Amino acid sequence: MAVPVAASGGPFSKGGEERTMTELNGHDHRFRLGFDIGGTFTDFVAVDEQTGAVASHKVLTSADDPSRAVMEGLTDLLASLGAKAQDLGLAIHGTTLITNALIERKGARTALVTTAGFRDVLEMGKEMRYDIYDLRMLKPEPLVPRQLRLEVTERLDKDGNVLTPLDGASVDAAIAALRESGVETVGVCFLHSFRNSAHEQAVGEAIEAALPGLTVSLSSTVAPEIREYERMNTTVSNAYVQPLFSRYVGQIQRGLAEAGSPGALFLMLSSGGITSVETAVANPIRLVESGPAAGALVSAFYGERMGRRNLISFDMGGTTAKICLIKDGRAAMASTFEIARVHRFKKGSGLPVRVPSIELVEIGAGGGSIARVDDLGLLKVGPESAGSSPGPACYGFGGERPTVTDANLLLGYLNPAFFLGGRMSLDVAAAERAVESVGAKLGLDRTATANGIFQVVNESMISATRVHVAERGEDPRKYMLVAFGGAGPVHAHAIVKALKLPGFMCPRSAGVASALGFLTAPIAFDFARSFITRLDRIDLAALDRTYAAMEDEAHAVLDTAGVPRDDVQLVRSADLRHVGQGHEITVELPEGAAADGEAALDAITKAFYVEYERLFGHAHPDVAVEILTCRVRASGPVPTVDLETPPADPSSADRARKGSRPVFFTDAGDFVETGVYDRATLAPGATIDGPAIVEEVDCTVVVPPGMRADVDGDRNLVITFHAAEEGGR
């Protein structure tokens, strides 16, 4: 319902038409760009289409105006390449803007129009309490205050039949109230509109005609699925961030255009697909986890090149750590995501949104996570972060509270003269003062306090990884860790040792790896429609019509991104459960499963039992099955990223050695003189025995005693245990 940002004749238009990804892939532009705006840093990766070379850059995020850091970083990157903005083709972007706006309540003033008698659904939520023993349990505040929740007389039954016709007078009254309220945006969510959208469509059109400046989000478009609270909350969340996101994307588009880039801007979705600006502006809630999703994609990308399909993706940046299990080369997907939890680690304490997303765990453990002593005298780290302003104490921007980065500096992991490749110097004295302020409360010296911070934040990530893997019934010892982000390669060895993993891999330019993930993703979008019935009573023709309607919509959306219809891949799945159960699982359907009569019905039922047994260890084939939601994933071709593969040079390890410095290792209980190596000099075939520090412009890799690092054909560092160490673990 929103107006596209890139209109005819806009910054990426050609003869009045927006440039498409297909056109740009076939055009002679030298670079593809991926950029990721995080809470602390903004990361850039450019792939040279002619040589396969990957160039990267990292700048501090400008919290007041994220687009400013984008343009500053892009200018620096192009200058380092000797290139111009005219050389850029595709620009693909991921952002934490949506998540931050919802957490910090910095979205637009929003109203809700809903069925008479149902305006308090946002406050009532679900009957389940996330903590049944807490009599003072806090719930998240609704995004729309009660006085801005407006009621309209209308009513549909559970099958979408009209019980009470839409009352025009109540619609006019709601529009008048919207006009007086001063809201920027409105969500419309009627009871059972996922079965019949006619009333919502009529009200949406009436609001747009009367109040053309308002953006309108309809639940039948944003989240046409069963479950009233989740659907309503998703709709108002989409409306809440829509004006902010539209302005934000417009700023980035204008900045790229003013710089002279002829390329088009595309955006990463939480599901790991890429979409056009037009689609993203209409559905900004779909970008709530766009940055972390790219991290899972880049892990799978490198895993394929290494011949490893079972991985644990570990992305530790400045603010958070993201963990994702990748099995058989694919990350697990979820249909619901929770935002702005009152208690960060208590499921159910946040605002649920029904959006397809890559399933991952996100915890407040990053380089900027702040250490403190709690009321019991215990050392705690995170989830509060120093962000980019003021940042860790060692950044020298006025921060005084100790962070993980300060501790890592004092333990010798970081080189104060080579942070960001020497573009930024770290203040050791400031880090010492900050860490000592906590140590004094604990009765510990500087080194013991720094090591305590290091171990506490590691334990948070180890616990989260252990639970995430165990919940999926997997053995962590069969999975290799892929460590990236600015802080991930420093902490990876601790996770590997604790969980008895075979080792970890750090890709080249690991500090900005998520930005490369954007360039490995296809144009894709997910669609869903509720379709509730028992399988033994199903109308297969009606089911097929439901899927066909979604597939028509899918083609229309991918058309806007320039994906030829012959190149679109459509995958059908469904949410199924045993009759009487309260929750469902998503099952990919066999081809033609909605059109082949009884054989198809048997195939769907069998697919459900197989997946149910895989997840829970047993199935109940004597219990009837019902379908709740039909889903379609539409995707274009997977883009090709051909990385340069330099010749092997085992002797490069000798040339890469820069010197040595004392580094603290917990197992040794003291500082150990440790060799320091330049990552840029290392070539395939090189081997480094730990203890070692490998320094790169955007991150530092720690190789502890008992482990060794091998440089593979893509110049990734593969860190594994020595044979003796392996046998003793």
Side-chain angles (χ1 to χ4, degrees):
M1 302 296 293
V3 178
V5 172
S8 176
F12 296 110
S13 61
K14 178 192 67 177
E17 297 180 1
E18 190 175 345
R19 305 292 299 280
T20 68
M21 180 174 274
T22 302
E23 288 179 296
L24 288 160
N25 271 331
H27 199 278
D28 188 25
H29 296 299
R30 184 172 176 184
F31 295 101
R32 276 191 287 167
L33 175 72
F35 61 103
D36 179 18
I37 300 179
T40 304
F41 286 99
T42 296
D43 301 338
F44 302 82
V45 164
V47 175
D48 189 327
E49 300 281 59
Q50 298 176 7
T51 66
V54 176
S56 63
H57 192 56
K58 182 186 283 280
V59 297
L60 286 168
T61 295
S62 48
D64 58 324
D65 177 9
S67 64
R68 190 176 72 249
V70 170
M71 299 318 302
E72 290 174 357
L74 179 58
T75 300
D76 293 343
L77 177 61
L78 290 173
S80 70
L81 293 169
K84 298 179 181 179
Q86 289 86 343
D87 297 322
L88 289 178
L90 294 174
I92 304 176
H93 174 40
T95 178
T96 60
L97 178 81
I98 306 301
T99 303
N100 293 342
L102 290 165
I103 292 173
E104 299 170 11
R105 300 301 174 103
K106 291 182 178 179
R109 181 173 169 82
T110 306
L112 169 68
V113 177
T114 190
T115 304
F118 286 84
R119 71 172 179 168
D120 291 324
V121 166
L122 284 182
E123 238 153 345
M124 291 187 295
K126 298 182 289 186
E127 78 173 34
M128 296 297 294
R129 295 166 58 90
Y130 65 83
D131 190 336
I132 62 175
Y133 300 108
D134 186 354
L135 299 181
R136 298 181 180 180
M137 185 188 77
L138 296 175
K139 297 179 69 176
E141 284 292 322
L143 294 171
V144 181
R146 196 169 193 269
Q147 67 271 20
L148 293 179
R149 298 179 221 148
L150 311 174
E151 297 181 335
V152 166
T153 301
E154 68 84 43
R155 188 67 180 266
L156 306 175
D157 69 11
K158 65 182 179 63
D159 296 316
N161 301 310
V162 177
L163 294 177
T164 303
L166 181 64
D167 178 61
S170 66
V171 174
D172 292 340
I175 291 174
L178 289 172
R179 184 180 289 110
E180 295 296 321
S181 67
V183 297
E184 284 187 77
T185 180
V186 59
V188 182
C189 184
F190 291 156
L191 197 66
H192 303 307
S193 61
F194 59 88
R195 299 302 296 265
N196 180 352
S197 64
H199 286 180
E200 280 193 0
Q201 294 287 348
V203 171
E205 290 169 4
I207 292 172
E208 289 183 325
L211 304 170
L214 250 62
T215 58
V216 182
S217 294
L218 305 182
S219 77
S220 52
T221 300
V222 175
E225 300 182 48
I226 191 174
R227 294 199 169 96
E228 210 63 31
Y229 173 53
E230 287 90 339
R231 183 162 59 90
M232 187 177 289
N233 195 73
T234 305
T235 304
V236 298
S237 297
N238 194 75
Y240 184 74
V241 299
Q242 208 166 25
L244 173 70
F245 183 73
S246 180
R247 290 191 292 267
Y248 163 79
V249 173
Q251 287 175 334
I252 292 177
Q253 283 190 312
R254 285 190 293 274
L256 289 171
E258 289 168 3
S261 171
L265 180 66
F266 288 82
L267 295 118
M268 168 68 73
L269 298 167
S270 302
S271 60
I274 299 295
T275 195
S276 65
V277 167
E278 179 181 355
T279 303
V281 168
N283 303 275
I285 196 63
R286 294 288 189 101
L287 279 77
V288 69
E289 281 289 277
S290 69
L297 294 180
V298 81
S299 294
F301 168 76
Y302 278 113
E304 284 288 343
R305 294 180 68 90
M306 293 176 64
R308 288 182 175 268
R309 296 175 59 82
N310 293 331
L311 305 161
I312 298 173
S313 175
F314 170 55
D315 176 5
M316 183 179 180
T319 306
T320 57
K322 282 77 69 176
I323 298 148
C324 178
L325 190 73
I326 296 171
K327 184 176 182 181
D328 296 328
R330 296 172 61 182
M333 299 292 294
S335 59
T336 301
F337 184 78
E338 202 169 69
I339 306 166
R341 288 180 177 175
V342 175
H343 294 285
R344 190 177 183 93
F345 301 108
K346 290 188 177 181
K347 187 177 181 180
S349 68
L351 300 172
V353 292
R354 296 284 285 183
V355 296
S357 59
I358 288 178
E359 191 172 20
L360 47 80
V361 173
E362 188 168 354
I363 60 174
S369 295
I370 296 171
R372 69 190 189 284
V373 178
D374 69 7
D375 294 338
L376 297 177
L378 301 176
L379 178 63
K380 301 290 184 181
V381 181
E384 185 183 0
S385 174
S388 60
S389 180
C394 62
Y395 282 11
F397 298 150
E400 297 180 349
R401 302 167 72 185
T403 67
V404 173
T405 297
D406 295 309
N408 289 343
L409 176 63
L410 299 186
L411 293 173
Y413 301 140
L414 303 180
N415 181 348
F418 196 70
F419 196 71
L420 296 183
R423 290 187 293 114
M424 181 174 169
S425 296
L426 299 182
D427 187 338
V428 176
E432 290 174 345
R433 290 192 297 270
V435 170
E436 287 169 354
S437 69
V438 168
K441 298 176 183 178
L442 297 169
L444 298 175
D445 64 26
R446 181 195 307 154
T447 299
T449 305
N451 187 46
I453 294 170
F454 180 76
Q455 291 194 65
V456 167
V457 77
N458 286 344
E459 192 53 47
S460 295
M461 297 183 292
I462 290 164
S463 298
T465 306
R466 182 182 286 116
V467 170
H468 184 62
V469 175
E471 284 180 342
R472 281 140 195 85
E474 299 296 331
D475 183 349
R477 293 172 296 182
K478 298 178 181 178
Y479 286 76
M480 173 166 271
L481 195 76
V482 181
F484 54 100
V490 173
H491 295 260
H493 69 275
I495 297 174
V496 166
K497 283 192 172 184
L499 299 181
K500 302 186 185 302
L501 306 182
F504 65 100
M505 187 274 277
C506 292
R508 182 102 189 273
S509 299
V512 296
S514 286
L516 178 62
F518 300 143
L519 305 180
T520 69
I523 292 281
F525 206 77
D526 295 86
F527 303 84
R529 296 286 184 277
S530 283
F531 186 97
I532 307 167
T533 186
R534 289 170 56 131
L535 287 186
D536 55 8
R537 301 172 186 170
I538 198 168
D539 180 344
L540 285 172
L543 179 65
D544 197 49
R545 286 195 298 272
T546 299
Y547 276 112
M550 285 193 290
E551 289 167 355
D552 287 342
E553 186 180 351
H555 281 299
V557 169
L558 268 63
D559 281 347
T560 67
V563 181
R565 296 208 166 198
D566 290 344
D567 291 340
V568 175
Q569 181 183 12
L570 300 169
V571 177
R572 294 180 175 185
S573 60
D575 291 355
L576 303 167
R577 68 184 182 187
H578 290 297
V579 172
Q581 283 187 317
H583 297 278
E584 60 280 351
I585 63 174
T586 302
V587 178
E588 190 171 308
L589 302 186
E591 265 190 65
D596 294 337
E598 293 302 316
L601 190 59
D602 290 342
I604 295 172
T605 306
K606 182 179 179 181
F608 168 75
Y609 289 138
V610 169
E611 180 65 6
Y612 197 95
E613 185 167 4
R614 186 188 73 81
L615 289 172
F616 305 112
H618 62 278
H620 305 283
D622 54 329
V623 180
V625 178
E626 64 181 351
I627 184 171
L628 269 74
T629 303
C630 300
R631 300 186 184 277
V632 168
R633 180 171 177 83
S635 58
V638 176
T640 301
V641 179
D642 292 320
L643 302 180
E644 64 174 344
T645 52
D649 183 3
S651 66
S652 62
D654 296 331
R655 297 194 306 275
R657 186 176 173 106
K658 299 164 64 174
S660 65
R661 65 171 178 262
V663 177
F664 189 94
F665 289 101
T666 303
D667 289 348
D670 203 347
F671 284 90
V672 177
E673 195 64 25
T674 300
V676 179
Y677 296 81
D678 175 21
R679 179 77 181 266
T681 306
L682 292 172
T687 296
I688 300 171
D689 288 324
I693 298 291
V694 183
E695 295 181 343
E696 195 168 10
V697 170
D698 47 53
C699 71
T700 297
V701 184
V702 176
V703 184
M707 299 190 81
R708 57 178 276 174
D710 294 290
V711 183
D712 71 6
D714 286 334
R715 299 179 74 180
N716 303 313
L717 286 181
V718 182
I719 295 95
T720 54
F721 291 92
H722 288 302
E725 180 73 13
E726 175 71 29
R729 284 194 305 139

